[in-house]
Amino acid sequence: MPPTRGFAVERRQSGGAVTAILANALEEGLIDAVVTVTADPWTQRPQSVVITKTEALITTAGSRYAWWVPTLAALKSAVVTQKRERIAIVGVPCVVSAARMMQTSDHDLLRPFGRAIRLIVGLFCTETFDYELLINDKIVRELAIEPWQIAKLDVRGGKLIIETTDHAVREIPLDALDDCVRRGCHACGGDLTAVDADISAGSMGSPDNETTLIIRTPAGVGFVDHAAETGRLVPEEDACSLEGILSLSQKKSKRIH
């Protein structure tokens, strides 16, 4: 497995390393857009977007667990409508694999999109949830928390952690959310850590409020090292443990065997 390093920055999701890398890349002109998924603050409904400003990137930072939207739909807007030429894509492993296939394809219709992709960031993923079942059924109906009251969602210690705007914290065990998991995810034996990415990122294996980064390609090395050189990232060498990551990766791969 490639070198793994943990980074801590001003707190975002799990340390905010992905936000730091992308913010640095935007500010330094290494990329001119980020294609990813954000959530409407009033409904928590996810949507794929093109982000071109550091301020917007920081404002929308955070993980999305109701990941049902076609992330790459925004790539068409970025390339065709906005004429962006240096794009970073952030997504879960299935999104990452699609982006890498586009980047390496010789198909005439895909080549313009592939040429525009400069960085692919993959997020660790065991499964994603159906928006209606998670937000409306579990959180709104069972916990009486309105979508606009949700400040942050996080998965830690086998639980979905819900932080509200009044700083209250509620927890739901992940095994109580099985009926909210998207059907395709139950059968997904794909990789946990987005092996097709330039950089893979997640909280697993690192201390609280820090990020595990798996740097997989020369492009990934360049973006990470540059962010560290400018002070956006603060390296903490040997801060990560791979045991849990390897164990969960093997468990996920058994879903289709």
Side-chain angles (χ1 to χ4, degrees), residues 9-96:
V9 297
E10 184 178 353
R11 185 178 179 183
R12 289 290 167 187
Q13 196 86 9
S14 306
V18 171
T19 302
I21 293 168
L22 297 175
N24 178 76
L26 280 172
E27 292 178 354
E28 298 293 318
L30 303 178
I31 58 175
D32 57 10
V34 177
V35 170
T36 187
V37 167
T38 63
D40 182 284
W42 293 103
T43 65
Q44 295 300 314
R45 186 178 292 275
Q47 56 191 351
S48 74
V49 295
V50 181
I51 298 174
T52 60
K53 301 294 183 182
T54 302
E55 295 78 9
L57 181 69
I58 293 173
T59 299
T60 58
S63 294
R64 318 297 170 201
Y65 296 101
W67 198 296
W68 64 272
V69 296
T71 307
L72 297 182
L75 183 61
K76 180 178 180 180
S77 174
V79 175
V80 177
T81 305
Q82 301 184 31
K83 308 300 182 184
R84 302 293 173 176
E85 298 178 340
R86 303 181 304 279
I87 299 170
I89 293 176
V90 182
V92 290
C94 50
V95 171
V96 164

Side-chain angles (χ1 to χ4, degrees), residues 5-8 210 224 227-229 231-239:
R5 286 184 269 177
F7 295 92
E210 295 187 12
V224 169
E229 290 169 3
R232 277 287 189 175
L233 287 176
V234 181
E236 294 189 9
E237 300 293 341
D238 302 321

Side-chain angles (χ1 to χ4, degrees), residues 83-160:
K83 308 300 182 184
R84 302 293 173 176
E85 298 178 340
R86 303 181 304 279
I87 299 170
I89 293 176
V90 182
V92 290
C94 50
V95 171
V96 164
S97 294
R100 184 65 75 192
M101 291 176 68
M102 294 176 73
Q103 192 180 43
T104 58
S105 175
D106 289 330
H107 195 287
D108 289 343
L109 295 179
L110 295 179
R111 194 177 296 116
F113 299 99
R115 283 199 300 261
I117 298 172
R118 295 296 177 85
L119 178 68
I120 302 175
V121 179
L123 306 177
F124 294 1
C125 179
T126 54
E127 65 263 324
T128 62
F129 301 104
D130 180 275
Y131 169 81
E132 296 291 342
L133 296 176
L134 176 66
I135 302 298
N136 291 335
D137 289 356
K138 287 291 182 181
I139 296 179
V140 175
R141 293 175 186 170
E142 294 187 14
L143 300 183
I145 298 173
E146 294 297 326
W148 55 266
Q149 294 176 309
I150 299 172
K152 182 180 179 183
L153 297 175
D154 199 3
V155 171
R156 301 193 302 269
K159 300 176 182 178
L160 177 68

Side-chain angles (χ1 to χ4, degrees), residues 143-185:
L143 300 183
I145 298 173
E146 294 297 326
W148 55 266
Q149 294 176 309
I150 299 172
K152 182 180 179 183
L153 297 175
D154 199 3
V155 171
R156 301 193 302 269
K159 300 176 182 178
L160 177 68
I161 312 297
I162 305 162
E163 298 182 21
T164 59
T165 52
D166 61 357
H167 306 295
V169 176
R170 302 288 295 276
E171 300 179 352
I172 306 177
L174 290 182
D175 56 13
L177 295 175
D178 282 347
D179 57 345
C180 298
V181 175
R182 287 178 54 77
R183 287 191 299 173
C185 294

